[in-house]
Amino acid sequence: MKLPKMILFDYGQTLINQAKFDGVKGTEAVLQHAVRNKYNKTAAQVQEAADEINRELGRFDPLNRHLFQVEVPNHMFTAYLYESQGIEIPLPPEEIDRIFWDAAAPGIPTEGIRDFLAFLDRHNVRTGVVSNIAFCGSALEERINSLLPDNHFEFILATSEYLFRKPNRRIFELALEKAGLTPEDVWYIGDQYECDIKGAQGAGLFPVWYIGAIDLPYEEREEILTIRDWRELEKMLI
């Protein structure tokens, strides 16, 4: 296989293997900073309200998340959530994002990703990140740079900062514009078939399906290059 000029990566379950999301733990961490809790709400009660709002919006449904193609930044969501529950958190939105996320879904690098990124750097393959994520871009950058400190990502693009979510082609087109490349020169690697694989295909990028840390039910498809281990892909490219 011919090396592409650039590979773009998804974040969750691709670069980083996140623990199963626990919203109550995240909310517990945030509530420690509350200066007002009018109704003495517990973390579980606040998270129940958050879940109800998300159901109304149609967010985070594993089977239908690809239909939700406009991002709701978390700072907007939490501002409504906490104020509507009579809770005051005197912290910047970016800090609330970090506190919640670190407690709700810590992560570790997927096995072998450091070596694969080093391989790409040695072969002058450019890299970047495009992530469907409601948390602020600075929180995403901080996490990736702390867990993968030797990365050479040219940009880390969080949909919370740019309105559109994968599989919408516009978010891929933005990444191509930032890279100064055409679709045929770029690969996209991710774990979600509808958002990552079909989204990349729709924008003209070559998709690679990484299932080494996938946390949702899936059916393999013969027509898609699918890998379970980063060494598999490296061997194909040598």
Side-chain angles (χ1 to χ4, degrees):
M1 297 183 72
K2 181 182 176 182
L3 284 164
K5 291 182 179 179
M6 188 172 198
I7 295 180
L8 299 173
F9 293 86
D10 172 49
Y11 159 74
Q13 311 316 120
T14 303
L15 291 173
I16 304 300
N17 187 353
Q18 286 199 146
K20 186 176 180 180
F21 180 83
D22 190 330
V24 174
K25 284 186 178 179
T27 304
E28 284 175 346
V30 173
L31 286 181
Q32 291 178 19
H33 300 270
V35 295
R36 178 173 177 264
N37 188 342
K38 181 178 178 181
Y39 303 108
N40 295 313
K41 294 275 187 173
T42 66
Q45 289 172 323
V46 175
Q47 187 57 38
E48 185 179 350
D51 292 342
E52 181 180 351
I53 296 167
N54 281 324
R55 283 193 295 271
E56 288 183 16
L57 293 174
R59 299 170 84 206
F60 309 137
D61 178 350
L63 297 178
N64 296 302
R65 67 177 66 190
H66 61 285
L67 301 175
F68 196 86
Q69 296 187 23
V70 174
E71 190 65 83
V72 176
N74 203 54
H75 73 87
M76 297 169 61
F77 183 87
T78 54
Y80 175 81
L81 173 66
Y82 288 116
E83 291 182 37
S84 70
Q85 300 297 304
I87 297 169
E88 182 179 351
I89 311 291
L91 295 175
E94 296 84 0
E95 186 64 17
I96 294 175
D97 273 4
R98 291 186 184 92
I99 291 169
F100 179 90
W101 192 19
D102 286 346
I108 59 173
T110 53
E111 186 175 354
I113 187 60
R114 288 192 181 99
D115 290 339
F116 184 64
L117 291 174
F119 164 81
L120 295 178
D121 185 54
R122 289 195 303 272
H123 288 81
N124 300 310
V125 177
R126 300 161 59 190
T127 55
V129 179
V130 180
S131 173
N132 274 1
I133 196 163
F135 299 118
C136 66
S138 61
L140 179 62
E141 287 188 24
E142 182 180 301
R143 177 171 286 201
I144 289 175
N145 289 333
S146 66
L147 293 174
L148 298 171
D150 298 324
N151 78 77
H152 292 86
F153 297 133
E154 294 184 14
F155 53 81
I156 296 173
L157 196 160
T159 56
S160 59
E161 309 292 339
Y162 291 102
L163 182 62
F164 295 103
R165 288 173 55 85
K166 300 173 292 183
N168 195 299
R169 63 178 176 77
R170 291 184 180 275
I171 200 68
F172 293 100
E173 290 171 351
L174 174 62
L176 292 172
E177 174 63 27
K178 292 171 77 68
L181 293 172
T182 55
E184 57 267 23
D185 292 325
V186 181
W187 290 11
Y188 188 83
I189 304 179
D191 70 300
Q192 292 183 13
Y193 180 76
E194 292 289 345
C195 291
D196 296 326
I197 304 308
K198 291 187 69 173
Q201 281 183 319
L205 286 71
F206 180 76
V208 179
W209 196 6
Y210 174 71
I211 60 173
I214 199 166
D215 59 355
L216 294 172
Y218 69 95
E219 294 181 7
E220 290 192 47
R221 299 167 188 265
E222 293 182 359
E223 71 276 14
I224 300 297
L225 175 57
T226 303
I227 59 168
R228 293 175 174 80
D229 188 299
W230 293 111
R231 288 171 293 186
E232 290 180 58
L233 187 54
E234 182 175 332
K235 289 176 182 177
M236 294 178 191
L237 295 171
I238 293 175

